[in-house]
Amino acid sequence: MSYTTEAKVENMFGVDITGGKSTALIDIIAAVKTFIDRYCGKTFEAVSEARYYDWCGERRIVVDSFVGNPTALEFLNPDGSVARTLTIGADEDYIIAPYNSDSSGLAEKYEIILTNKGWSGNTGWFYAGLPTGIKAIKLTASFGASTSVPADIQLVATKLAGLLSQENADGILKSITLGDYSATYDSIEGAARAMGVTEILDSYRDITI
């Protein structure tokens, strides 16, 4: 899923993109999405899929960002078969964090925390029964920062796509005038800074200390 469309670019800049530039814009919109995702370190479309993680027996497990509750959390044997499927819930095997929430219930999560019941239990199965090692965890969830693209990310994508669609014939990004807008730049990130949109992207970046 793209973060903008040709129609949005045309409406924002008051231009009519036709012919070869219209064809090229498809690739540019895809490139803009890739740039935004890499710059922010996350994607803004939820993709439901299974991802695998190594496990060394720790109680708190950091995973890729996801929204909503996981569809399944499984611990796998070395041959890939399922050793145990865990159940979400404070009174069950695990919970998810950070604990913040929003009105939609789709705040971004990136941590699995094994509960006291799940961690020890009466049988101590976590120590005796769960496999550790490479790809010991299989998490199925909606990975991404949101189930719908935030409006400000759509705005950034539209601005960048419009700018990049008008690059010079030699392929080197230098300057552009679209309608009443003009800017000078030397790279995709330079274009983002020229348009003042990196401040928006910075607000979505996770800071690791």
Side-chain angles (χ1 to χ4, degrees):
M1 179 174 63
S2 301
Y3 294 163
T4 189
T5 64
E6 179 178 325
K8 289 181 179 180
V9 172
E10 290 179 328
N11 289 337
M12 174 172 287
F13 291 100
V15 296
D16 184 18
I17 301 173
T18 59
K21 286 189 175 181
S22 179
T23 301
L25 185 58
I26 297 174
D27 293 334
I28 291 171
I29 288 174
V32 164
K33 179 183 182 300
T34 298
F35 167 75
I36 291 174
D37 289 352
R38 288 179 176 173
Y39 187 91
C40 296
K42 62 187 68 176
T43 185
F44 295 91
E45 59 175 342
V47 179
S48 182
E49 62 183 9
R51 297 188 183 181
Y52 298 84
Y53 303 90
D54 301 341
W55 190 59
C56 299
E58 63 272 21
R59 185 170 186 171
R60 304 178 77 97
I61 308 161
V62 177
V63 297
D64 299 312
S65 298
F66 63 90
V67 291
N69 289 336
T71 303
L73 175 61
E74 301 166 310
F75 280 75
L76 307 180
N77 294 311
D79 64 1
S81 61
V82 178
R84 187 178 181 99
T85 299
L86 274 60
T87 302
I88 190 171
D91 296 326
E92 297 296 338
D93 301 321
Y94 74 96
I95 57 177
I96 56 179
Y99 306 121
N100 57 297
S101 62
D102 57 23
S103 59
S104 68
L106 295 175
E108 184 179 348
K109 309 293 182 179
Y110 51 81
E111 191 171 19
I112 302 295
I113 303 174
L114 305 180
T115 64
N116 289 334
K117 173 185 176 182
W119 180 253
S120 56
N122 295 327
T123 62
W125 56 262
F126 252 101
Y127 299 103
L130 284 186
T132 59
I134 298 174
K135 295 179 67 174
I137 293 176
K138 177 182 179 182
L139 177 65
T140 304
S142 292
F143 293 97
S146 175
T147 54
S148 60
V149 182
D152 51 355
I153 293 298
Q154 294 184 51
L155 176 64
V156 168
T158 302
K159 285 186 173 182
L160 286 176
L163 204 61
L164 299 175
S165 68
Q166 303 297 313
E167 69 179 18
N168 293 332
D170 59 7
I172 300 174
L173 306 180
K174 293 180 180 178
S175 63
I176 184 60
T177 298
L178 282 173
D180 295 330
Y181 183 83
S182 63
T184 300
Y185 51 96
D186 57 6
S187 65
I188 294 181
E189 185 168 349
R193 295 190 184 283
M195 301 198 81
V197 299
T198 49
E199 291 84 356
I200 295 175
L201 298 181
D202 286 343
S203 69
Y204 285 98
R205 301 178 86 176
D206 294 328
I207 305 299
T208 302
I209 301 177

